[in-house]
Amino acid sequence: MLGKNSKIVILDDDHTIAELAAEILAELGFENINIYNSIDSFTENMRLAIADLFFLDVNLDKADGLTLLSWIKAKQPSSKVVMFSGDTREHLVKEAFQLGAEGFLSKYCLDKNIRSLLNKWNVNYPLT
């Protein structure tokens, strides 16, 4: 179950989107949020880190987010991974779920989409 001390990692090469997602999660009471804006800094740090929840962009500058999803699920199978993208074509969403994603969110209306996902998971917020 996710709680205020759950470790959350956000990887998006769009700094604005990553910051927005972090702000939304912080407003909901999460306190341990790490943002990465490049695949290089993410993979360097993820060798040592374990996270409870990942938010991954599908289209990254130097990597395919779906490939990264497979890598995370292989290394940390109990972690939840949520893909997010401005591109929500059916084949991308289907592939993400086949690879083990627990969610796929549109970057449009991100606040509403994050809240809806947490509601689906029965996460009560604001966290205390």
Side-chain angles (χ1 to χ4, degrees), residues 8-13 17-18 21 34 36 38-39 42-43 46 51 53-60 63-73 80-87 96 99-107 110:
I8 299 175
V9 169
I10 300 167
L11 172 60
D12 193 327
D13 46 18
I17 295 293
N34 297 296
Y36 297 95
S38 76
I39 190 67
F42 174 80
T43 53
M46 290 318 301
L53 175 59
F54 292 87
F55 284 89
L56 302 178
D57 187 7
V58 172
N59 299 307
L60 298 162
D64 172 13
L66 295 173
T67 301
L68 190 56
L69 163 63
S70 296
W71 181 78
I72 290 170
K73 292 305 281 186
K80 290 184 178 293
V81 180
V82 175
M83 304 304 295
F84 66 142
S85 181
D87 183 355
L99 293 171
E102 281 80 14
F104 194 109
L105 305 179
S106 169
K107 288 184 180 180
L110 193 56

